Amino acid sequence: MNSFRIAKVIIFSLSLSYLSITFLRNYNSPENIEKRCTLKFEKDFKYPMETSREEWAQILDLADNNYLKCMGIP
């Protein structure tokens, strides 16, 4: 009976480890990183009509730099 309980704990921990590794591999894939960064900084790229061209250029430069940081590009 005790060996069955130990086997259940071992199987549970191995299953949890496998699922964690699979999740992290999928979460950190380049496609998913790009999707997350695009969604995160999409609002920065919308052009408000009351913004001057100089201000808009600065906003785009800042948003572009933040996007590249998010993607992991120096």
Side-chain angles (χ1 to χ4, degrees):
M1 187 72 164
N2 197 15
S3 62
F4 183 67
R5 178 181 269 173
I6 293 172
K8 285 192 327 187
V9 169
I10 290 172
I11 290 172
F12 176 76
S13 62
L14 289 175
S15 299
L16 186 62
S17 298
Y18 175 75
L19 290 174
S20 299
I21 290 170
T22 304
F23 170 77
L24 289 175
R25 186 179 302 150
N26 185 32
Y27 185 78
N28 291 327
S29 70
E31 296 86 21
N32 286 336
I33 291 173
E34 184 178 352
K35 285 178 188 176
R36 284 194 312 268
C37 291
T38 301
L39 289 174
K40 184 176 181 182
F41 294 105
E42 191 175 49
K43 62 179 170 45
D44 292 340
F45 290 106
K46 292 184 179 162
Y47 183 70
M49 292 297 183
E50 64 275 354
T51 305
S52 69
R53 288 190 84 56
E54 294 82 21
E55 285 181 274
W56 181 241
Q58 290 176 350
I59 291 170
L60 279 180
D61 287 340
L62 181 62
D64 190 38
N65 289 338
N66 289 338
Y67 178 76
L68 292 176
K69 280 185 201 175
C70 180
M71 291 289 292
I73 301 171

